[in-house]
Amino acid sequence: YPAEIMRTVTFAIYWSAATTHAHQISPEGMNATMLMFLNAMYGGLGPSLGAIVFGKCQTMIGTAQSFICLATFDVCVSVLVGLFLYLKRGPHRTNRIDTETHNSSITNNFKSTTKKLQ
């Protein structure tokens, strides 16, 4: 029961992030097509490929060893992706916003909007 609740929350976070990203990277007028590809990869290719790979592993080395090997593989891939993203971003970059520039931009946008409304 707790695992199902956790999966519900994590799936909701994943799916909303994935659809938002697919929408952001899609060319103009291709949003529905990009979402179709996302759904095809998640609902079609992923389970099919997973069943084939795990089925072969299970036949060759058994169920328990398959889980251990594929979990180890997942951890290694996660570490490599994290390392790649860290190196791509670089340790010198930060996500801080220059508050003076940001606040003045908000103020200018507000002033121009109120002028248009008057």
Side-chain angles (χ1 to χ4, degrees):
Y1 184 72
E4 291 178 17
I5 293 172
M6 198 167 67
R7 188 209 184 272
T8 302
V9 171
T10 57
F11 179 76
I13 293 169
Y14 156 75
W15 195 250
S16 60
T19 54
T20 301
H21 182 68
H23 178 75
Q24 289 174 344
I25 66 169
S26 64
E28 188 70 31
M30 299 287 288
N31 294 337
T33 304
M34 191 63 84
L35 292 175
M36 179 207 56
F37 279 121
L38 171 67
N39 198 27
M41 294 298 113
Y42 178 79
L45 183 66
S48 301
L49 190 61
I52 291 169
V53 170
F54 190 80
K56 291 291 184 187
C57 287
Q58 193 176 21
T59 302
M60 292 170 45
I61 60 176
T63 304
Q65 288 293 68
S66 295
F67 272 108
I68 292 169
C69 288
L70 292 175
T72 304
F73 175 76
D74 287 346
V75 168
C76 291
V77 168
S78 297
V79 167
L80 288 175
V81 168
L83 184 63
F84 170 76
L85 292 175
Y86 176 77
L87 293 175
K88 180 180 174 187
R89 180 175 160 235
H92 60 282
R93 299 172 95 188
T94 62
N95 291 329
R96 294 185 196 144
I97 297 174
D98 181 11
T99 54
E100 284 186 32
T101 306
H102 181 69
N103 290 339
S104 66
S105 172
I106 291 172
T107 305
N108 291 338
N109 287 340
F110 179 73
K111 286 178 182 177
S112 66
T113 303
T114 54
K115 283 181 184 178
K116 289 178 187 176
L117 293 175
Q118 293 175 352

